[in-house]
Amino acid sequence: MKNKVQPQKTDKDLWREKSIIEYAYLVKHIAARFALRLPSSVFFDELVSAGSLGLIDAVDKFDTSKHVSLKTYAQYRIKGAILDELRSMDTYSRSMRKKIQDITRAVKAIEDQNGSPATDEEICKELGVSLEGYYDMLTQIHGASVLSLDEFIRTKKNDTYSKISFQAGIQGQQNPADCFDREELKFVLAKAIKTLTQKEQLVVSLYYYDELTLKEIGEVLTLTESRICQIHTAVLVKLKTRLQDYFN
């Protein structure tokens, strides 16, 4: 019986394999960054699995004519695939989501009435809970709030802004209106951040710009990791509330 002759791999097949192997390290690197901000109930291997599919998809769909490096394109596809996987998991109960909605409504009601940023004490009064009870709520919904940050920054077409902006850049279809929208969003977000307390602004800076973990931020500010989680969650809820008027 004759052995079957295996078809020879084309240059495209070889490039595909080489590219996937070359950028496989990005999957674990990006998954690890996500894992730092997620509860222990989310398994690292699940993030890696989703990211790997994103990498393969990036390699298969990469278009050299768009003048963007494969590494850059792969990074965004990996991040997108992991975010999609996290959303599909929907590990957060309805009660957690209700807590987020309740706090958001309380913050908005206070700020609409007073015309100034809501304090923790005012939010507690509006919710009818103690300060300790409010902090417990923030701790419980911390993981869910991390995931919602990407979801509430949307364009007026109700699409995730970061995704639309990236795709437009990849396709070379950005126009002056797109650039204006992006700059306007930056201005609105910066204005919203300035309304936060000094400590909240510092947490935002250390977490999103310096990319410190919550534990590391706690060490810098001499606070527990749990307290930093609470501050971070409160920040996201407040920013969500203040950006809603812009996107509505």
Side-chain angles (χ1 to χ4, degrees):
M1 183 176 179
K2 294 183 179 180
N3 293 328
K4 289 186 177 180
V5 178
Q6 295 294 328
Q8 287 190 334
K9 293 182 179 179
T10 64
D11 289 343
K12 184 177 180 179
D13 292 331
L14 293 172
W15 175 85
R16 181 178 185 272
E17 289 184 9
K18 177 178 177 295
S19 298
I20 291 173
I21 293 172
E22 181 179 357
Y23 294 111
Y25 77 94
L26 288 175
V27 175
K28 286 194 173 182
H29 174 73
I30 294 172
R33 297 303 304 176
F34 271 97
L36 290 173
R37 306 176 182 184
L38 294 170
S40 57
S41 58
V42 178
F43 294 105
F44 180 70
D45 287 348
E46 293 176 321
L47 302 182
V48 171
S49 178
S52 297
L53 293 177
L55 172 61
I56 293 171
D57 190 50
V59 172
D60 289 342
K61 294 181 178 178
F62 182 63
D63 186 348
T64 56
S65 68
K66 300 302 181 183
H67 306 293
V68 176
S69 71
L70 174 56
K71 180 180 178 181
T72 299
Y73 184 60
Q75 286 175 319
Y76 280 96
R77 297 294 294 191
I78 292 168
K79 289 178 182 177
I82 292 176
L83 279 172
D84 287 343
E85 176 66 16
L86 289 172
R87 293 190 185 106
S88 69
M89 288 179 184
D90 195 19
T91 57
Y92 305 101
S93 67
R94 291 183 180 180
S95 63
M96 285 188 182
R97 297 189 184 280
K98 185 177 184 302
K99 286 185 175 73
I100 297 174
Q101 294 170 355
D102 289 344
I103 296 174
T104 301
R105 280 195 289 264
V107 171
K108 182 168 178 56
I110 294 166
E111 297 188 349
D112 285 348
Q113 180 178 342
N114 300 340
S116 59
T119 65
D120 288 351
E121 290 74 16
E122 289 172 334
I123 296 172
C124 291
K125 185 177 179 180
E126 182 73 19
L127 291 171
V129 300
S130 66
L131 189 61
E132 183 180 354
Y134 172 56
Y135 288 159
D136 284 343
M137 291 172 68
L138 293 177
T139 299
Q140 292 169 21
I141 66 176
H142 170 68
S145 293
V146 170
L147 296 181
S148 69
L149 178 62
D150 184 63
E151 294 173 1
F152 70 74
I153 300 181
R154 297 178 179 274
T155 65
K156 294 173 183 177
K157 295 179 181 178
N158 203 35
D159 291 315
T160 303
Y161 184 85
S162 59
K163 187 175 181 181
I164 290 297
S165 176
F166 169 69
Q167 287 180 340
I170 289 294
Q171 295 167 0
Q173 295 174 349
Q174 282 189 311
N175 54 47
D178 293 325
C179 294
F180 177 80
D181 287 342
R182 185 174 65 252
E183 293 304 313
E184 184 181 31
L185 175 61
K186 287 181 182 178
F187 174 78
V188 172
L189 186 57
K191 186 177 179 181
I193 291 174
K194 287 180 180 178
T195 66
L196 301 173
T197 66
Q198 186 174 3
K199 184 178 293 182
E200 289 171 338
Q201 289 185 44
L202 186 54
V203 170
V204 169
S205 178
L206 293 174
Y207 190 73
Y208 291 103
Y209 292 94
D210 296 315
E211 296 190 337
L212 297 186
T213 65
L214 297 176
K215 183 178 180 180
E216 290 169 339
I217 295 173
E219 292 172 353
V220 171
L221 301 182
T222 321
L223 294 170
T224 64
E225 182 178 0
S226 175
R227 182 68 188 114
I228 297 300
C229 287
Q230 294 164 357
I231 294 172
H232 178 248
T233 303
V235 164
L236 296 185
V237 173
K238 290 177 181 178
L239 291 179
K240 178 176 181 177
T241 303
R242 290 161 199 171
L243 288 172
Q244 281 177 340
D245 290 338
Y246 171 72
F247 291 112
N248 289 338

